[in-house]
């Protein structure tokens, strides 16, 4: 019997899997990629009796592959907080889905494990810009402010590393990063000793500095739009830049666009922090859009749909 661990390559996906494998070590096949590389179940070459753990990837995007695996006799345990649509009803599926705007997949796994490795749920929540939830999770751990700051830095750096239009844009591949974290097991030791963390953290700071020099492309009544240049740094930073903007202006929505190889744009959207709703509904109006209510995106927005996107953005966040 083969076990497959299939997970989003961002902080939430990595830290969710860390919690599970620290609790129950399994020699598994890892399947992951850049943050937007979420149609991952189709890569699972499983046989009847094999098992899959899927983490932080949308059921809606993976529905056909999910149904095919279940029909093939594969057991699947699924944790996610993105829009799912109607869940398949199958004895082989054990689904833990919660799309509430104040949870992430790491929090769902923390609930499942009754807090056994909660420190990694804190990192996951910080990585998904759920600062309030992260602070609440951290409170029973009796950490001083410096250690909480380390967990925030780690979560935000892991989240940053996953952004990009392809693996070539990333500082470190998520599978290698996960294995390094698993070997270390202690987030504070990882922050202190691992060169890859220092490399990612420094690149994040440099990329944010560049992004903060960009002027807004458009200011709508309830949203601000930024158009970043066609560069590796801008593709890496658009997610964490969106989070920074959301934290600085919690009453506004934000859209960050970068040119892509198809001649259109890749889009990240952040709903206002004062009302974490609407980002996924907006993005799902476009063919390659999806995400969660507070933060969503469009993998490819054709150039001729840019004006329509702006119009719908304005409608979504009046």
């Amino acid at each position: 019997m083969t076990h497959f661990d299939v997970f989003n390559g961002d902080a939430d996906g990595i830290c969710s899997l860390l919690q599970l494998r620290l609790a129950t070590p399994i020699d598994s096949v890892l399947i992951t990629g850049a943050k937007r590389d979420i149609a991952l179940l189709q890569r699972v070459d499983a046989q009847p009796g094999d098992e899959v753990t899927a983490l932080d990837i949308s059921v809606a995007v993976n529905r056909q592959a999910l149904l095919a695996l279940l029909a093939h006799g594969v057991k699947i345990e699924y944790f996610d907080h993105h829009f799912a649509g109607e869940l398949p009803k199958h004895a082989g599926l054990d689904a833990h889905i919660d799309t509430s705007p104040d949870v992430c997949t790491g929090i769902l796994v923390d609930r499942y494990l009754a807090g056994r490795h909660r420190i990694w749920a804190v990192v996951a929540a910080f990585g998904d810009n759920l600062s309030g939830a992260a602070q609440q999770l951290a409170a029973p751990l009796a950490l001083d402010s410096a250690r909480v700051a380390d967990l925030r830095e780690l979560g935000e750096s892991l989240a940053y590393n996953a952004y990009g239009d392809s693996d070539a844009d990333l500082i470190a591949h998520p599978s290698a990063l996960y294995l390094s974290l698993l070997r270390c097991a202690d987030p504070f030791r990882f922050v202190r000793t691992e060169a890859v963390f220092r490399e990612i953290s420094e690149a994040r700071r440099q990329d944010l500095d560049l992004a903060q020099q960009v002027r807004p492309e458009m200011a709508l009544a309830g949203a601000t739009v930024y158009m970043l240049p066609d560069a590796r740094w801008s593709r890496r930073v658009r997610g964490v830049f969106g989070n920074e903007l959301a934290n600085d202006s919690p009453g506004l929505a934000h859209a960050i666009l970068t040119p892509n190889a198809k001649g259109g744009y890749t889009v990240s959207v952040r709903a206002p922090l004062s009302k974490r709703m609407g980002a996924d509904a907006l993005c799902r109006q476009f063919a390659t859009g999806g995400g969660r209510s507070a933060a969503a995106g469009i993998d490819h927005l054709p150039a001729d749909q840019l004006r329509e996107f702006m119009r719908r953005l304005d409608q979504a966040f009046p």
Side-chain angles (χ1 to χ4, degrees):
M1 190 271 288
T2 301
H3 192 100
F4 297 83
D5 282 328
V6 185
F7 60 104
N8 194 309
D10 71 352
D12 196 18
I14 289 174
C15 293
S16 297
L17 182 57
L18 279 169
Q19 292 178 78
L20 288 173
R21 293 300 157 251
L22 288 169
T24 307
I26 293 176
D27 184 14
S28 64
V29 177
L30 302 179
I31 299 178
T32 188
K35 181 176 179 65
R36 291 179 182 271
D37 191 6
I38 58 173
L40 296 176
L41 285 186
Q42 63 188 8
R43 301 185 194 172
V44 176
D45 185 16
Q47 302 303 314
D50 288 347
E51 296 179 350
V52 173
T53 298
L55 297 152
D56 202 38
I57 56 174
S58 165
V59 172
V61 171
N62 288 276
R63 180 175 304 278
Q64 294 306 313
L66 173 61
L67 292 172
L69 288 167
L70 291 170
H72 197 48
V74 178
K75 292 183 178 180
I76 300 177
E77 186 176 41
Y78 214 119
F79 297 85
D80 189 47
H81 67 132
H82 300 91
F83 173 78
E86 185 177 355
L87 284 176
K89 294 180 175 60
H90 195 286
L93 175 63
D94 180 17
H96 306 263
I97 309 295
D98 184 346
T99 60
S100 303
D102 56 349
V103 303
C104 61
T105 303
I107 292 175
L108 300 183
V109 175
D110 177 73
R111 293 174 185 170
Y112 176 77
L113 295 174
R116 287 176 62 187
H117 296 283
R118 176 158 295 170
I119 200 162
W120 291 108
V122 176
V123 177
F126 275 131
D128 259 17
N129 202 35
L130 297 174
S131 179
Q135 296 282 358
Q136 289 179 5
L137 285 168
L141 304 179
L143 302 170
D144 61 31
S145 59
R147 289 205 154 195
V148 173
D150 282 345
L151 298 180
R152 179 191 291 272
E153 175 74 9
L154 178 56
E156 292 177 353
S157 294
L158 294 176
Y160 155 81
N161 179 74
Y163 276 91
D165 288 351
S166 69
D167 291 353
D169 289 332
L170 311 185
I171 304 296
H173 193 274
S175 59
L177 200 49
Y178 161 75
L179 291 171
S180 295
L181 288 158
L182 183 64
R183 285 192 295 269
C184 194
D186 178 354
F188 304 113
R189 185 156 63 91
F190 187 84
V191 166
R192 289 194 310 270
T193 64
E194 293 296 321
V196 67
F197 169 75
R198 292 192 295 275
E199 183 181 3
I200 293 170
S201 182
E202 181 58 29
R204 182 171 71 92
R205 290 191 181 91
Q206 292 175 359
D207 290 354
L208 274 172
D209 285 344
L210 291 171
Q212 287 163 354
Q213 297 172 33
V214 177
R215 304 285 296 176
E217 182 75 13
M218 182 178 295
L220 304 170
T224 305
V225 180
Y226 284 79
M227 189 80 70
L228 299 185
D230 184 7
R232 289 182 65 196
W233 71 262
S234 66
R235 293 189 290 272
R236 288 196 302 258
V237 83
R238 62 182 170 233
V240 292
F241 183 46
N243 291 342
E244 292 278 322
L245 294 170
N247 292 332
D248 290 343
S249 301
L252 292 175
H254 296 86
I256 299 90
L257 290 81
T258 55
N260 62 29
K262 297 180 180 179
Y265 303 92
T266 302
V267 184
S268 286
V269 175
R270 297 293 181 269
L273 283 189
S274 58
K275 187 179 180 182
R276 294 175 178 268
M277 298 180 65
D280 59 338
L282 167 66
C283 292
R284 288 201 311 273
Q285 296 175 41
F286 298 87
T288 60
R292 52 192 174 91
S293 59
I298 304 169
D299 289 343
H300 173 56
L301 179 72
D304 60 6
Q305 293 184 23
L306 178 59
R307 184 182 296 274
E308 181 63 14
F309 169 76
M310 298 294 190
R311 186 184 71 82
R312 296 190 187 187
L313 175 68
D314 195 26
Q315 288 181 336
F317 304 104

